[in-house]
Amino acid sequence: MFGVIAETDVEARATVEAARAAVDQPHEAVFVQSPGATLGLLIDTATGAREAFHHGSGRDCAAIAGAITTNGRPPEGTEAAATLLRMANDDALDRAHDLSGLFAAAIWQGESGRLTLLSDWIGGIHQLFHARTPAGFIFGTDAHSMLASGAWGGKVDDCALGQYLDFGHSLPPGTLFEGILKLPAGCQLSYHAGEVQVRRTFQPSSSRDGETGDAAGRLRDAHREAVARCMRSSGEVGAFLSGGLDSSLNVAAMSELSDAPVRTFSVAYPGEEIDESRYARLVADRFNTEHHELPLESAGVLDELPEMVWALEEPAMDYSFIPTFNLARFARKHVPAVISGDGPDHLFGRHYPVALIRGTLGRVPGVRAIAAAVTGGERRGRLWRRLRGSPGGRHLWKALQSVGCDPLQAYLSIYREIACRGLLPERADCLLCDQARADVGGGEIDPLMAGIADAVGGEFDRIIALDLNIDGSCGVFAKVGKMAAHHDLAVHEPYLDARVRDLIDALPAHLKARGSVLDLPGKRLRRKVLLYEAARGALPQEVLDKPKQGFRAPIADWLREWLEGRDAEQLLPALTGEIALLDIARVNALLDEHLRGERNHETLIMMLI
């Protein structure tokens, strides 16, 4: 979806035609004239398209990318867009976050000349970009059409680059394309008479001591109903199956709801320690699925990085976009839509240990001051070199960094450790040349994003809220949505269903994660406790007992093979040539350390690529 609000019909048509050049799929152009303005829209009309347009009476209209569920069922045809238009005319858009489904929408009320852009509560799967241009106010669900329309002057946004190098994401409203902004998850934008206002319509809620009886059973039922809604929203749907708890529980529910064998799709890394394909096969055998396995066993996979980066649109620290890209392409050969298992890690608090330590140690007099002195003083580099050799040591470093900070900075310290593990205590911007480092600065956080944690109560809930809105919306969910969209594959996420969300929100913290400060360093962390209880008996015990792996790939080994014989200028010509962004000597030293196996710089190298 792409649109423009222009003063004249000529400007609207010229802008839409410019954007059309960047769109591979068939699109229909729609123009709606109103007093003093013309709305131009591009709507995807490809087979199995997830975009719909509804032209109401007079000059009102609405367009939606994705799907929503009303009255327990997915709407047909243009009903979703019509539903949102009715809500806008009734001044009821504040209730939109109660709708189940993942979507991005644009609503034009021509009589009043008001445009409303609306993001679902989680964002990421469907995003909304917007910008002011000489032609008018433009918006779209992909960056490619925005760039083609002339919204970008070719300059990198220094603040967004600072955020990216600091902790692996550029946060809304900024993007790396100076002048192009992004609507944060759970927010709505109003454009009227040349003025733009953005406000949050969904605020994360804190844990409450609500009903806890048979919480696992209620979660199992809510998840099953969400899976049923996802299956009804697509005529033919398969499932991503990693062999982990989340995707396996999806397959269990789908098998129970379907008369035919479920089509499942997984990635295998033959001979690699991180390969989890045998767990996926265990689940496939248990539920008699039609299982399809894609082996990725060569560094040649990285030869397609230019296309993957193009599909990703904005850089992200999460390089699992590589297997996701390949798996989405593989699945699209068989089905038009898949059910994926993203969400539980964020909803149940994967950074629970940091929240727990903050909540425990933060109350001890003097600890915050000591932690700040240790991690900010002259001994900081020596301490990091001692701690980084073990997972427990790295966890202690993160805890020390986070104890003396506010929740936002505590959360971001987690990502500094992941992104800059081989460089700490330095930041990744040390790889920039002197001029670029002076321009970039620290990357300030927008108050709308920084204020997320203020809306919830305890440390645990604040970390969950930040994780959902930062790494969820800007990282994991965006990665899955964009890789799938590139291959015209629809993705449904039952764990991100509004009813599942509300059930989990209402649970007290001890039902989401469990443990103590004493047993955290040495034992497997007890996260997603309730989900394990809900899955008990439904999944093979081996799947429940296996250590969490995540959707990883053997990137470090692949990079050593793929980088052989390449220096910074050959690997990163755009950043070392005309733009001259990097300190070439430092980057070459980083590549050399990785090639020799002295340090694992896979995250930093992938961030630069």
Side-chain angles (χ1 to χ4, degrees):
M1 177 173 64
F2 171 84
V4 57
I5 304 293
E7 291 186 1
T8 68
D9 182 70
V10 173
E11 289 175 316
R13 291 181 182 275
T15 304
V16 166
E17 285 304 313
R20 195 198 292 267
V23 179
D24 295 330
Q25 301 291 347
H27 275 65
E28 176 186 359
V30 178
F31 297 93
V32 180
Q33 292 185 327
S34 300
T38 296
L39 168 70
L41 276 174
L42 273 180
I43 302 296
D44 190 352
T45 58
T47 302
R50 268 77 56 190
E51 295 185 3
F53 172 77
H54 173 76
H55 196 169
S57 60
R59 300 182 176 95
D60 294 348
C61 62
I64 183 170
I68 63 173
T69 300
T70 56
N71 299 321
R73 63 180 181 83
E76 299 178 359
T78 63
E79 186 181 339
T83 297
L84 290 176
L85 182 55
R86 284 194 300 271
M87 293 176 71
N89 289 332
D90 293 340
D91 292 325
L93 283 178
D94 284 349
R95 299 202 311 267
H97 72 268
D98 292 326
L99 298 169
S100 289
L102 304 174
F103 61 89
I107 303 155
W108 174 242
Q109 295 168 286
E111 291 297 334
S112 62
R114 182 179 300 278
L115 172 73
T116 302
L117 301 181
L118 187 66
S119 169
D120 63 59
W121 75 279
I122 194 61
I125 298 294
H126 300 282
Q127 296 182 323
L128 273 169
F129 300 90
H130 58 95
R132 295 176 183 268
T133 71
F137 183 80
I138 66 173
F139 57 93
T141 52
D142 68 274
H144 304 135
S145 57
M146 299 289 292
L147 298 178
S149 69
W152 187 43
K155 190 173 186 300
V156 172
D157 185 277
D158 290 333
C159 180
L161 180 58
Q163 291 173 351
Y164 177 60
L165 292 175
D166 199 6
F167 50 86
H169 298 293
S170 53
L171 301 183
T175 70
L176 280 182
F177 310 110
E178 187 178 72
I180 298 180
L181 302 177
K182 184 164 57 180
L183 187 64
C187 290
Q188 65 173 268
L189 176 149
S190 176
Y191 175 78
H192 181 248
E195 296 295 321
V196 172
Q197 291 184 332
V198 178
R199 63 189 181 91
R200 186 169 292 281
T201 56
F202 171 79
Q203 285 286 7
S205 56
S206 60
S207 295
R208 300 176 292 278
D209 293 328
E211 183 184 352
T212 60
D214 193 24
R218 289 188 291 116
L219 176 62
R220 187 166 48 244
D221 291 343
H223 170 257
R224 184 180 180 277
E225 291 170 4
V227 170
R229 284 190 285 274
C230 291
M231 294 176 70
R232 288 196 298 267
S233 66
S234 294
E236 190 178 6
V237 62
F240 284 162
L241 177 59
S242 68
L245 171 66
D246 310 332
S247 63
S248 298
L249 203 54
N250 281 343
V251 172
M254 292 175 71
S255 298
E256 183 181 346
L257 292 163
S258 176
D259 295 330
V262 176
R263 295 185 182 184
T264 52
F265 305 91
S266 67
V267 168
Y269 305 111
E272 295 286 349
E273 185 178 343
I274 65 171
D275 181 45
E276 293 194 300
S277 58
R278 77 179 187 89
Y279 296 106
R281 288 192 292 272
L282 276 174
V283 175
D285 290 343
R286 164 71 73 91
F287 298 105
N288 193 31
T289 73
E290 182 185 315
H291 191 54
H292 304 266
E293 190 173 279
L294 174 66
L296 298 178
E297 50 189 327
S298 166
V301 170
L302 300 182
D303 290 338
E304 291 189 286
L305 274 173
E307 185 179 355
M308 297 181 202
V309 170
W310 174 256
L312 196 64
E313 297 184 334
E314 293 183 280
M317 182 179 63
D318 182 359
Y319 49 76
S320 64
F321 69 81
I322 295 171
T324 305
F325 175 93
N326 285 275
L327 187 60
R329 178 171 58 189
F330 180 58
R332 186 61 186 89
K333 296 176 182 177
H334 302 272
V335 293
V338 293
I339 289 178
S340 187
D342 302 293
D345 286 349
H346 303 79
L347 288 165
F348 283 97
R350 61 190 179 133
H351 298 307
Y352 155 67
V354 171
L356 181 62
I357 287 177
R358 277 179 55 80
T360 304
L361 296 184
R363 290 193 292 266
V364 178
V367 167
R368 292 183 184 273
I370 293 171
V374 169
T375 58
E378 295 180 0
R379 297 194 186 96
R380 138 179 228 260
R382 196 180 316 147
L383 176 64
W384 165 244
R385 283 189 289 273
R386 290 187 176 215
L387 294 178
R388 72 182 180 196
S390 68
R394 293 194 296 271
H395 178 68
L396 177 59
W397 173 266
K398 286 190 287 186
L400 288 171
Q401 279 194 307
S402 70
V403 164
C405 306
D406 61 70
L408 177 66
Q409 294 304 320
Y411 174 79
L412 298 183
S413 73
I414 297 169
Y415 284 90
R416 292 189 185 98
E417 192 275 336
I418 296 172
C420 310
R421 181 172 294 174
L423 294 176
L424 278 174
E426 292 184 276
R427 290 173 16 147
D429 65 5
C430 71
L431 300 175
L432 300 179
C433 65
D434 291 342
Q435 183 59 53
R437 191 159 59 250
D439 292 339
V440 164
E444 296 180 359
I445 310 299
D446 185 83
L448 193 62
M449 294 296 293
I452 294 169
D454 295 336
V456 293
E459 295 287 349
F460 184 55
D461 297 297
R462 293 182 179 192
I463 295 294
I464 287 178
L466 290 165
D467 196 36
L468 277 166
N469 280 267
I470 294 178
D471 187 66
S473 299
C474 305
V476 175
F477 308 144
K479 168 205 71 178
V480 174
K482 290 177 180 179
M483 296 299 102
H486 185 70
H487 297 295
D488 193 31
L489 180 74
V491 174
H492 304 291
E493 300 278 9
Y495 294 107
L496 300 181
D497 182 271
R499 299 182 188 183
V500 175
R501 171 204 72 203
D502 290 343
L503 188 153
I504 296 173
D505 273 351
L507 296 172
H510 74 271
L511 287 180
K512 300 178 184 179
R514 194 174 299 153
S516 72
V517 176
L518 296 177
D519 68 14
L520 288 178
K523 295 183 179 180
R524 184 171 137 198
L525 302 176
R526 299 179 179 92
R527 289 167 290 190
K528 298 190 291 190
V529 174
L530 198 62
L531 202 61
Y532 278 95
E533 290 300 319
R536 196 171 301 280
L539 299 179
Q541 193 61 39
E542 282 187 80
V543 172
L544 296 177
D545 292 340
K546 78 176 188 66
K548 181 174 176 57
Q549 187 75 274
F551 197 50
R552 298 169 55 200
I555 299 295
D557 293 338
W558 285 355
L559 280 175
R560 289 189 182 97
E561 178 183 341
W562 193 70
L563 291 172
E564 189 67 43
R566 303 190 194 195
D567 59 15
E569 290 93 331
Q570 294 167 311
L571 180 67
L572 305 163
L575 302 183
T576 57
E578 184 178 345
I579 295 178
L581 194 66
L582 300 178
D583 183 321
I584 295 175
R586 296 205 70 166
V587 175
N588 279 331
L590 181 111
L591 296 175
D592 191 50
E593 286 179 348
H594 186 86
L595 281 169
R596 294 201 308 267
E598 292 181 5
R599 293 188 189 179
N600 182 358
H601 290 303
E602 61 183 55
T603 302
L604 278 168
I605 294 170
M606 290 304 302
M607 284 176 67
L608 291 177
I609 291 174

mmCIF file with all atom_site columns, all heavy atoms in Angstrom, residues 158-160 162-163 166-167 427 440-445:
data_model
loop_
_atom_site.group_PDB
_atom_site.id
_atom_site.type_symbol
_atom_site.label_atom_id
_atom_site.label_alt_id
_atom_site.label_comp_id
_atom_site.label_asym_id
_atom_site.label_entity_id
_atom_site.label_seq_id
_atom_site.pdbx_PDB_ins_code
_atom_site.Cartn_x
_atom_site.Cartn_y
_atom_site.Cartn_z
_atom_site.occupancy
_atom_site.B_iso_or_equiv
_atom_site.pdbx_formal_charge
_atom_site.auth_seq_id
_atom_site.auth_comp_id
_atom_site.auth_asym_id
_atom_site.auth_atom_id
_atom_site.pdbx_PDB_model_num
ATOM 1  N N   . ASP A 1 158 ? 21.521 10.759 11.080 1.00 0.00 ? 158 ASP A N   1
ATOM 2  C CA  . ASP A 1 158 ? 22.596 10.523 12.043 1.00 0.00 ? 158 ASP A CA  1
ATOM 3  C C   . ASP A 1 158 ? 22.087 9.944  13.352 1.00 0.00 ? 158 ASP A C   1
ATOM 4  O O   . ASP A 1 158 ? 22.732 9.082  13.958 1.00 0.00 ? 158 ASP A O   1
ATOM 5  C CB  . ASP A 1 158 ? 23.355 11.833 12.313 1.00 0.00 ? 158 ASP A CB  1
ATOM 6  C CG  . ASP A 1 158 ? 24.173 12.290 11.115 1.00 0.00 ? 158 ASP A CG  1
ATOM 7  O OD1 . ASP A 1 158 ? 24.575 11.426 10.318 1.00 0.00 ? 158 ASP A OD1 1
ATOM 8  O OD2 . ASP A 1 158 ? 24.398 13.507 10.978 1.00 0.00 ? 158 ASP A OD2 1
ATOM 9  N N   . CYS A 1 159 ? 20.933 10.419 13.816 1.00 0.00 ? 159 CYS A N   1
ATOM 10 C CA  . CYS A 1 159 ? 20.388 9.913  15.082 1.00 0.00 ? 159 CYS A CA  1
ATOM 11 C C   . CYS A 1 159 ? 20.035 8.430  14.947 1.00 0.00 ? 159 CYS A C   1
ATOM 12 O O   . CYS A 1 159 ? 20.362 7.624  15.822 1.00 0.00 ? 159 CYS A O   1
ATOM 13 C CB  . CYS A 1 159 ? 19.166 10.719 15.486 1.00 0.00 ? 159 CYS A CB  1
ATOM 14 S SG  . CYS A 1 159 ? 18.408 10.168 17.033 1.00 0.00 ? 159 CYS A SG  1
ATOM 15 N N   . ALA A 1 160 ? 19.376 8.054  13.845 1.00 0.00 ? 160 ALA A N   1
ATOM 16 C CA  . ALA A 1 160 ? 18.997 6.658  13.639 1.00 0.00 ? 160 ALA A CA  1
ATOM 17 C C   . ALA A 1 160 ? 20.232 5.777  13.507 1.00 0.00 ? 160 ALA A C   1
ATOM 18 O O   . ALA A 1 160 ? 20.259 4.645  14.010 1.00 0.00 ? 160 ALA A O   1
ATOM 19 C CB  . ALA A 1 160 ? 18.120 6.528  12.400 1.00 0.00 ? 160 ALA A CB  1
ATOM 20 N N   . GLY A 1 162 ? 23.115 6.386  14.915 1.00 0.00 ? 162 GLY A N   1
ATOM 21 C CA  . GLY A 1 162 ? 23.658 6.269  16.263 1.00 0.00 ? 162 GLY A CA  1
ATOM 22 C C   . GLY A 1 162 ? 22.932 5.206  17.066 1.00 0.00 ? 162 GLY A C   1
ATOM 23 O O   . GLY A 1 162 ? 23.552 4.409  17.779 1.00 0.00 ? 162 GLY A O   1
ATOM 24 N N   . GLN A 1 163 ? 21.601 5.159  16.964 1.00 0.00 ? 163 GLN A N   1
ATOM 25 C CA  . GLN A 1 163 ? 20.823 4.125  17.655 1.00 0.00 ? 163 GLN A CA  1
ATOM 26 C C   . GLN A 1 163 ? 21.212 2.731  17.158 1.00 0.00 ? 163 GLN A C   1
ATOM 27 O O   . GLN A 1 163 ? 21.399 1.804  17.949 1.00 0.00 ? 163 GLN A O   1
ATOM 28 C CB  . GLN A 1 163 ? 19.330 4.349  17.415 1.00 0.00 ? 163 GLN A CB  1
ATOM 29 C CG  . GLN A 1 163 ? 18.758 5.578  18.071 1.00 0.00 ? 163 GLN A CG  1
ATOM 30 C CD  . GLN A 1 163 ? 17.328 5.836  17.648 1.00 0.00 ? 163 GLN A CD  1
ATOM 31 O OE1 . GLN A 1 163 ? 16.822 5.192  16.734 1.00 0.00 ? 163 GLN A OE1 1
ATOM 32 N NE2 . GLN A 1 163 ? 16.673 6.780  18.297 1.00 0.00 ? 163 GLN A NE2 1
ATOM 33 N N   . ASP A 1 166 ? 24.524 1.668  18.361 1.00 0.00 ? 166 ASP A N   1
ATOM 34 C CA  . ASP A 1 166 ? 24.565 1.568  19.822 1.00 0.00 ? 166 ASP A CA  1
ATOM 35 C C   . ASP A 1 166 ? 23.936 0.265  20.303 1.00 0.00 ? 166 ASP A C   1
ATOM 36 O O   . ASP A 1 166 ? 24.472 -0.406 21.181 1.00 0.00 ? 166 ASP A O   1
ATOM 37 C CB  . ASP A 1 166 ? 23.840 2.764  20.431 1.00 0.00 ? 166 ASP A CB  1
ATOM 38 C CG  . ASP A 1 166 ? 24.219 2.995  21.892 1.00 0.00 ? 166 ASP A CG  1
ATOM 39 O OD1 . ASP A 1 166 ? 25.127 2.301  22.375 1.00 0.00 ? 166 ASP A OD1 1
ATOM 40 O OD2 . ASP A 1 166 ? 23.619 3.857  22.528 1.00 0.00 ? 166 ASP A OD2 1
ATOM 41 N N   . PHE A 1 167 ? 22.790 -0.108 19.716 1.00 0.00 ? 167 PHE A N   1
ATOM 42 C CA  . PHE A 1 167 ? 22.141 -1.321 20.226 1.00 0.00 ? 167 PHE A CA  1
ATOM 43 C C   . PHE A 1 167 ? 21.382 -2.111 19.172 1.00 0.00 ? 167 PHE A C   1
ATOM 44 O O   . PHE A 1 167 ? 20.532 -2.943 19.489 1.00 0.00 ? 167 PHE A O   1
ATOM 45 C CB  . PHE A 1 167 ? 21.199 -0.993 21.393 1.00 0.00 ? 167 PHE A CB  1
ATOM 46 C CG  . PHE A 1 167 ? 20.239 0.116  21.129 1.00 0.00 ? 167 PHE A CG  1
ATOM 47 C CD1 . PHE A 1 167 ? 19.028 -0.116 20.509 1.00 0.00 ? 167 PHE A CD1 1
ATOM 48 C CD2 . PHE A 1 167 ? 20.551 1.411  21.501 1.00 0.00 ? 167 PHE A CD2 1
ATOM 49 C CE1 . PHE A 1 167 ? 18.128 0.913  20.274 1.00 0.00 ? 167 PHE A CE1 1
ATOM 50 C CE2 . PHE A 1 167 ? 19.673 2.440  21.252 1.00 0.00 ? 167 PHE A CE2 1
ATOM 51 C CZ  . PHE A 1 167 ? 18.456 2.203  20.645 1.00 0.00 ? 167 PHE A CZ  1
ATOM 52 N N   . ARG A 1 427 ? 31.803 1.247  22.172 1.00 0.00 ? 427 ARG A N   1
ATOM 53 C CA  . ARG A 1 427 ? 30.588 1.117  21.367 1.00 0.00 ? 427 ARG A CA  1
ATOM 54 C C   . ARG A 1 427 ? 30.970 0.825  19.925 1.00 0.00 ? 427 ARG A C   1
ATOM 55 O O   . ARG A 1 427 ? 32.098 1.042  19.501 1.00 0.00 ? 427 ARG A O   1
ATOM 56 C CB  . ARG A 1 427 ? 29.787 2.413  21.420 1.00 0.00 ? 427 ARG A CB  1
ATOM 57 C CG  . ARG A 1 427 ? 29.169 2.671  22.767 1.00 0.00 ? 427 ARG A CG  1
ATOM 58 C CD  . ARG A 1 427 ? 28.522 4.037  22.851 1.00 0.00 ? 427 ARG A CD  1
ATOM 59 N NE  . ARG A 1 427 ? 28.287 4.674  21.564 1.00 0.00 ? 427 ARG A NE  1
ATOM 60 C CZ  . ARG A 1 427 ? 27.251 5.474  21.321 1.00 0.00 ? 427 ARG A CZ  1
ATOM 61 N NH1 . ARG A 1 427 ? 26.377 5.697  22.256 1.00 0.00 ? 427 ARG A NH1 1
ATOM 62 N NH2 . ARG A 1 427 ? 27.113 6.061  20.163 1.00 0.00 ? 427 ARG A NH2 1
ATOM 63 N N   . VAL A 1 440 ? 27.516 11.414 14.198 1.00 0.00 ? 440 VAL A N   1
ATOM 64 C CA  . VAL A 1 440 ? 26.503 10.474 14.658 1.00 0.00 ? 440 VAL A CA  1
ATOM 65 C C   . VAL A 1 440 ? 26.063 10.757 16.085 1.00 0.00 ? 440 VAL A C   1
ATOM 66 O O   . VAL A 1 440 ? 24.873 10.767 16.400 1.00 0.00 ? 440 VAL A O   1
ATOM 67 C CB  . VAL A 1 440 ? 27.008 9.021  14.526 1.00 0.00 ? 440 VAL A CB  1
ATOM 68 C CG1 . VAL A 1 440 ? 26.153 8.064  15.334 1.00 0.00 ? 440 VAL A CG1 1
ATOM 69 C CG2 . VAL A 1 440 ? 27.018 8.617  13.069 1.00 0.00 ? 440 VAL A CG2 1
ATOM 70 N N   . GLY A 1 441 ? 26.980 10.980 16.982 1.00 0.00 ? 441 GLY A N   1
ATOM 71 C CA  . GLY A 1 441 ? 26.609 11.218 18.374 1.00 0.00 ? 441 GLY A CA  1
ATOM 72 C C   . GLY A 1 441 ? 26.035 9.967  19.019 1.00 0.00 ? 441 GLY A C   1
ATOM 73 O O   . GLY A 1 441 ? 26.320 8.842  18.618 1.00 0.00 ? 441 GLY A O   1
ATOM 74 N N   . GLY A 1 442 ? 25.168 10.161 20.013 1.00 0.00 ? 442 GLY A N   1
ATOM 75 C CA  . GLY A 1 442 ? 24.688 9.033  20.797 1.00 0.00 ? 442 GLY A CA  1
ATOM 76 C C   . GLY A 1 442 ? 23.364 8.440  20.357 1.00 0.00 ? 442 GLY A C   1
ATOM 77 O O   . GLY A 1 442 ? 23.005 7.361  20.779 1.00 0.00 ? 442 GLY A O   1
ATOM 78 N N   . GLY A 1 443 ? 22.613 9.119  19.514 1.00 0.00 ? 443 GLY A N   1
ATOM 79 C CA  . GLY A 1 443 ? 21.333 8.574  19.082 1.00 0.00 ? 443 GLY A CA  1
ATOM 80 C C   . GLY A 1 443 ? 20.266 8.692  20.158 1.00 0.00 ? 443 GLY A C   1
ATOM 81 O O   . GLY A 1 443 ? 20.028 7.776  20.929 1.00 0.00 ? 443 GLY A O   1
ATOM 82 N N   . GLU A 1 444 ? 19.596 9.854  20.237 1.00 0.00 ? 444 GLU A N   1
ATOM 83 C CA  . GLU A 1 444 ? 18.596 10.068 21.286 1.00 0.00 ? 444 GLU A CA  1
ATOM 84 C C   . GLU A 1 444 ? 17.347 9.230  21.027 1.00 0.00 ? 444 GLU A C   1
ATOM 85 O O   . GLU A 1 444 ? 17.021 8.906  19.889 1.00 0.00 ? 444 GLU A O   1
ATOM 86 C CB  . GLU A 1 444 ? 18.225 11.555 21.345 1.00 0.00 ? 444 GLU A CB  1
ATOM 87 C CG  . GLU A 1 444 ? 19.391 12.453 21.752 1.00 0.00 ? 444 GLU A CG  1
ATOM 88 C CD  . GLU A 1 444 ? 18.986 13.909 21.790 1.00 0.00 ? 444 GLU A CD  1
ATOM 89 O OE1 . GLU A 1 444 ? 17.812 14.205 21.492 1.00 0.00 ? 444 GLU A OE1 1
ATOM 90 O OE2 . GLU A 1 444 ? 19.848 14.742 22.121 1.00 0.00 ? 444 GLU A OE2 1
ATOM 91 N N   . ILE A 1 445 ? 16.648 8.897  22.102 1.00 0.00 ? 445 ILE A N   1
ATOM 92 C CA  . ILE A 1 445 ? 15.430 8.106  22.024 1.00 0.00 ? 445 ILE A CA  1
ATOM 93 C C   . ILE A 1 445 ? 14.223 9.032  22.068 1.00 0.00 ? 445 ILE A C   1
ATOM 94 O O   . ILE A 1 445 ? 14.121 9.900  22.930 1.00 0.00 ? 445 ILE A O   1
ATOM 95 C CB  . ILE A 1 445 ? 15.346 7.096  23.187 1.00 0.00 ? 445 ILE A CB  1
ATOM 96 C CG1 . ILE A 1 445 ? 16.644 6.300  23.301 1.00 0.00 ? 445 ILE A CG1 1
ATOM 97 C CG2 . ILE A 1 445 ? 14.161 6.168  22.998 1.00 0.00 ? 445 ILE A CG2 1
ATOM 98 C CD1 . ILE A 1 445 ? 16.983 5.482  22.094 1.00 0.00 ? 445 ILE A CD1 1
#
